[in-house]
Amino acid sequence: MKFKTTPYHHDLLKDTDRLAVFYEAIEQYDSSTDLAYDLGCGSGILSYFLSSKFKEVISIEADFKAFKCAKENLSDFENVHVINGDVLEHDFTKKADLIVCEMLDTALIDEEEIPVLNYAREFLNEDGRIIPQGIINTVELVNMQRHHIHWDEGAKYDALSDEEVYSQFDFLDDINPDFTADFKLRANKDGLLNGLKITTYTKLDDDIIAGPLPMLNPPLLVPLEERQVMVNDFIHVQIKYSMGKGIESVKTQYL
Ligand SMILES: C[S@@+](CC[C@H](N)C(=O)[O-])C[C@H]1O[C@@H](n2cnc3c(N)ncnc32)[C@H](O)[C@@H]1O
């Protein structure tokens, strides 16, 4: 099947590992489940996967060009209804068995996954599920070459600690978007510390966990005030950000 897309949604389609983990998670549903929402449906690719498993699929997309593509791509599927609008203003009238929401980015800082799920979660049946099910965030001390916040797309950095989990979320829980974490990391070599590397692992369901992929949560490099560290030093750091408010909301400090 040929999909019409915008350039951004085309890049999302080219990340076939990203599609594969969503496909696998959706494939586990039996084909007579009632209703699924696909929130932020983009080109409609995940709605296409859902169409053979659910009696009804309601797909919502804010971007008008992407919505037009999804509407056309899915026009042969009578059980899929594509709506142009902001999920946060959508008047939901029915409870669903599944919410699929791929508004993911590293630590969920730059996209609206958390505000959208906090709003839409009440339109899920009691035993309903969300795909993805949640995320796990890890952090490492690094020396990085670029001194501004950026995603690791071939950027150079040198790790100065092991990778440790600093937060995890289950999307069925109500989640406070204003996030603060304090953590202590042990330097595993001498070096000039000037950043943190944040990595997000996506739990599609109990069995499928995706690591960073080109279009699914590439690691984020966050500057820290420069400090010379020695092997075995414990470095106590605080990070704050607001999930859904963008990378400008990220603040770090030593404690
Ligand atoms: C990462 S893309 C995923 C697109 C598609 N689900 C896929 O997997 O290829 C996220 C999509 O969510 C849409 N989006 C973001 N915030 C939204 C909102 N509040 N309401 C509706 N759509 C939104 C964006 O326009 C974008 O198309």
Side-chain angles (χ1 to χ4, degrees), residues 35-50:
L35 172 64
Y37 289 121
D38 180 7
L39 306 182
C41 68
S43 63
I45 185 68
L46 305 182
S47 300
Y48 171 60
F49 297 161
L50 291 163

Side-chain angles (χ1 to χ4, degrees), residues 136-140 163-167 197-201:
I136 301 164
N137 293 320
T138 67
V139 63
E140 285 158 82
E163 179 181 9
E164 290 193 15
V165 172
Y166 73 90
S167 72
K197 178 184 170 195
I198 307 290
T199 305
T200 295
Y201 298 84

Side-chain angles (χ1 to χ4, degrees), residues 8-9 12 18 40-41 45-46 61-62 85-87 102-103 112:
Y8 166 64
H9 294 91
L12 287 168
R18 183 188 77 95
C41 68
I45 185 68
L46 305 182
E61 172 54 51
D86 185 334
V87 174
E102 202 288 57
M103 297 184 192
E112 290 192 303

Side-chain angles (χ1 to χ4, degrees), residues 190-204:
D190 298 352
L192 181 68
L193 169 63
N194 65 6
L196 298 172
K197 178 184 170 195
I198 307 290
T199 305
T200 295
Y201 298 84
T202 309
K203 284 190 77 175
L204 279 295

Side-chain angles (χ1 to χ4, degrees), residues 33-37 54 94-99 120-130 172:
T33 324
D34 280 333
L35 172 64
Y37 289 121
F54 287 79
K94 299 187 235 186
K95 291 203 175 193
D97 305 289
L98 175 70
I99 291 177
R121 199 179 287 110
E122 69 175 285
F123 302 100
L124 197 57
N125 284 325
E126 222 163 88
D127 55 353
R129 309 286 297 266
I130 298 175
L172 285 174

Side-chain angles (χ1 to χ4, degrees), residues 60-158:
I60 306 175
E61 172 54 51
D63 180 275
F64 185 66
K65 283 191 182 149
F67 153 76
K68 290 235 308 187
C69 293
K71 187 127 179 101
E72 193 174 327
N73 293 333
L74 298 162
S75 58
D76 287 345
F77 298 86
E78 282 178 10
N79 59 334
V80 182
H81 309 287
V82 187
I83 296 167
N84 181 215
D86 185 334
V87 174
L88 295 169
E89 288 167 12
H90 185 73
D91 212 356
F92 289 92
T93 53
K94 299 187 235 186
K95 291 203 175 193
D97 305 289
L98 175 70
I99 291 177
V100 172
C101 185
E102 202 288 57
M103 297 184 192
L104 300 164
D105 72 291
T106 317
L108 309 177
I109 302 168
D110 214 40
E111 287 206 47
E112 290 192 303
E113 183 86 13
I114 294 306
V116 160
L117 286 180
N118 281 347
Y119 176 70
R121 199 179 287 110
E122 69 175 285
F123 302 100
L124 197 57
N125 284 325
E126 222 163 88
D127 55 353
R129 309 286 297 266
I130 298 175
I131 295 177
Q133 179 181 297
I135 57 153
I136 301 164
N137 293 320
T138 67
V139 63
E140 285 158 82
L141 302 175
V142 294
N143 174 271
M144 58 194 218
Q145 282 192 352
R146 295 190 208 146
H147 300 290
H148 56 85
I149 189 162
H150 60 286
W151 284 274
D152 166 19
E153 285 155 329
K156 290 213 168 71
Y157 58 85
D158 187 21

